[in-house]
Amino acid sequence: MGLTVAVPTNEGLNEAQPQRSSITIACCGDSHTRSGYPKDLQKALQRAVSGVTWEVLNFGACGATASKTQREYGKTQIFRKALASSADIVALLLGTNDAHKVYWSEAGFVASVTDLVQQIRDNSAAKGRPLPGILLGVPPPLYKRNSVMRSMIQMSVVNHDLPRIIPQLAAELDLGVFDAFSVLGGANLLLPGVMLSDGVHMNQIGRRLLAQQLAKQVLIHLGFVHEEVDSPKSQSSNSTTTTVTTSPFANTRRFLSCADVKRKGRAVHQIC
């Protein structure tokens, strides 16, 4: 997969996404968000396009669910603060806690995420602001089969159902997607070294990988990055090309690269 990093001129920008010098991103979700990946996201975006002032805000709430439980994210004070931020982009990463044996309902999860999205859109409309770009996140895979967390959170839901449901829902609601699931090892659980010992939460490496994946999607959404499919020859060699084109910003940099994450004596080729 080739990546062309291009900060467009005024003529090249989508009219719906005018050129701005300041962009605010609200990161909403559960402990995956609260644990700190927004700090890494801010750094990744600043490295990519330093001509923009990026403000990345952390609105994570530990234990939060999308579903209507006693920990429903939509009922929290922190979600109200997220709405008040009037962010240009909202990244919503929920689902791990919804997979709890007591909570899980596919229909309930879909309805609750849809309601959250509508609340975000209604809030902007009520303020007379343009609708924010909304990106739905597919949560990280669940690794541990014998932990206390595993006894409560259903591995089949996290590792099979959510990766199917969330992209489909995003397409139906006309939203973007950022895929923490695949970038952190996917269904084959290829990268145990990016998780804490509980097998549920990301370590520092995992948070950085997630931040890079989300940064890519943010820049694609804003028109700063274009993805191109390599030729079959390039794909067979697992090459990644990045082209930086002329732009009004002096410090446009390559922000995505190939990383080898070595665990247990083997290298897993991870494209961030």
Side-chain angles (χ1 to χ4, degrees):
M1 179 76 66
L3 293 175
T4 302
V5 179
V7 184
T9 62
N10 288 331
E11 292 85 5
L13 283 169
N14 186 324
E15 291 182 1
Q17 293 288 346
Q19 187 175 357
R20 288 164 290 186
S21 60
S22 177
I23 297 173
T24 300
I25 301 170
C27 297
C28 301
D30 51 31
S31 56
H32 292 313
T33 300
R34 191 65 183 170
S35 65
Y37 87 76
K39 290 182 180 179
D40 294 299
L41 175 61
Q42 174 124 13
K43 294 176 183 177
L45 290 168
Q46 287 174 338
R47 286 195 301 268
V49 184
S50 59
V52 171
T53 299
W54 300 96
E55 184 179 20
V56 181
L57 304 174
N58 190 331
F59 295 109
C62 293
T65 66
S67 305
K68 300 188 183 306
T69 69
Q70 67 268 32
R71 295 186 172 183
E72 181 183 355
Y73 186 74
K75 300 295 186 183
T76 62
Q77 180 67 28
I78 202 161
F79 179 57
R80 289 191 285 273
K81 290 181 180 179
L83 295 177
S85 73
S86 299
D88 302 293
I89 302 284
V90 177
L92 188 60
L93 181 59
L94 291 165
T96 299
N97 295 310
D98 295 86
H100 194 291
K101 293 178 179 179
V102 175
Y103 299 152
W104 177 245
S105 162
E106 180 172 333
F109 176 76
V110 168
S112 296
V113 172
T114 302
D115 182 62
L116 283 171
V117 170
Q118 193 59 50
Q119 287 187 60
I120 294 167
R121 288 172 167 169
D122 288 347
N123 176 71
S124 294
K127 294 179 179 178
R129 292 178 53 84
L131 297 182
I134 303 175
L135 304 174
L136 289 188
V138 183
L142 184 63
Y143 274 83
K144 290 290 185 180
R145 296 178 178 274
N146 58 353
S147 67
V148 174
M149 288 287 191
R150 168 68 179 87
S151 68
M152 299 183 292
I153 300 174
Q154 300 176 85
M155 181 172 273
S156 62
V157 174
V158 175
N159 293 356
H160 299 285
D161 295 341
L162 292 177
R164 166 183 56 84
I165 294 166
I166 291 173
Q168 180 179 346
L169 180 58
E172 292 173 359
L173 298 177
D174 195 23
L175 309 176
V177 176
F178 62 102
D179 188 359
F181 180 76
S182 296
V183 82
L184 296 174
N188 292 324
L189 305 179
L190 296 176
L191 296 174
V194 303
M195 307 298 285
L196 295 177
S197 59
D198 63 11
V200 179
H201 297 96
M202 297 170 284
N203 61 21
Q204 186 176 22
I205 297 172
R207 292 193 296 270
R208 287 177 179 173
L209 290 174
L210 169 55
Q212 290 181 10
Q213 165 65 205
L214 180 50
K216 170 185 170 182
Q217 298 306 319
V218 167
L219 296 183
I220 288 173
H221 177 83
L222 293 171
F224 291 128
V225 172
H226 307 285
E227 277 190 298
E228 297 175 352
V229 178
D230 290 334
S231 65
K233 180 179 180 180
S234 297
Q235 288 179 347
S236 65
S237 63
N238 287 325
S239 65
T240 299
T241 60
T242 303
T243 304
V244 179
T245 63
T246 303
S247 80
F249 298 111
N251 297 313
T252 304
R253 304 176 183 176
R254 184 181 184 199
F255 76 104
L256 297 173
S257 62
C258 296
D260 289 324
V261 180
K262 295 184 178 180
R263 293 292 179 269
K264 296 183 178 178
R266 65 175 183 173
V268 179
H269 192 60
Q270 182 66 38
I271 298 178
C272 308

